[in-house]
Amino acid sequence: MPVRALVVDPSASAAVRLAEVSDPVPGPGHVLVDVSHASLNYGDLNDARSGRIPVGAVLGSDAAGVVVRAAADGTGPAVGTPVVALTSGAFAERVAIDVTALAEVSKSSDPAQAVALPVVGVAALRSLRAAGLGPDKGSWSPGPPAGSDGSPSSWRRGPVPT
């Protein structure tokens, strides 16, 4: 059964168009997710315009939705579990996602907010790691702590929250 998706089309004004594509077939270690929300990042449009993603391929990186088919190998979340994922081809109604590329979210979470996290969260994590910061390291406080005189020299160095 075909699903609707945003695909690369250089002849379209934004280099993308809505199309019907084949329903994804999950492999071992993949779940099938009904996507309710997707997050558009500048990189997604850049991928479409630059030719990095082939013509006709489904765009997107960030998806949120509900697992509708569990992984055949028994890994990952069960059917009915809400998830958020960083995966290629996220701009489709249904996506097969590797269980290592997703996270379960609580049923009370707003998927419109959760879907904004994957790309920016990974970018933030990579930035912290590139700066040599992490849970066992230290970080600069984002602003003057309560009780300081406000000068940067009075800011404390402390642990990165985990």
Side-chain angles (χ1 to χ4, degrees):
M1 177 167 122
V3 297
R4 292 180 302 165
L6 283 179
V7 299
V8 175
D9 181 352
S11 67
S13 63
V16 300
R17 68 178 167 82
L18 187 61
E20 286 194 347
V21 298
S22 298
D23 205 4
V25 177
H30 289 73
V31 296
L32 191 62
V33 174
D34 270 351
V35 175
S36 62
H37 292 78
S39 177
L40 176 64
N41 298 288
Y42 176 77
D44 297 318
L45 293 178
N46 190 50
D47 287 346
R49 293 181 184 128
S50 70
R52 192 174 86 77
I53 305 293
V55 174
V58 179
L59 283 173
S61 303
D62 297 333
V66 175
V67 174
V68 293
R69 186 182 312 157
D73 65 4
T75 60
V79 170
T81 304
V83 295
V84 63
L86 177 61
T87 187
S88 60
F91 294 170
E93 292 176 306
R94 241 178 329 278
V95 180
I97 303 173
D98 187 306
V99 298
T100 65
L102 57 77
E104 294 182 28
V105 294
S106 71
K107 291 187 186 313
S108 63
S109 294
D110 180 352
Q113 292 178 344
V115 76
L117 296 174
V119 166
V120 297
V122 169
L125 180 61
R126 286 181 178 165
S127 296
L128 288 171
R129 288 180 177 161
L133 303 173
D136 58 338
K137 310 282 193 246
S139 69
W140 289 107
S141 173
S148 77
D149 66 9
S151 67
S153 62
S154 71
W155 296 6
R156 65 176 169 76
R157 195 166 156 79
V160 174
T162 55

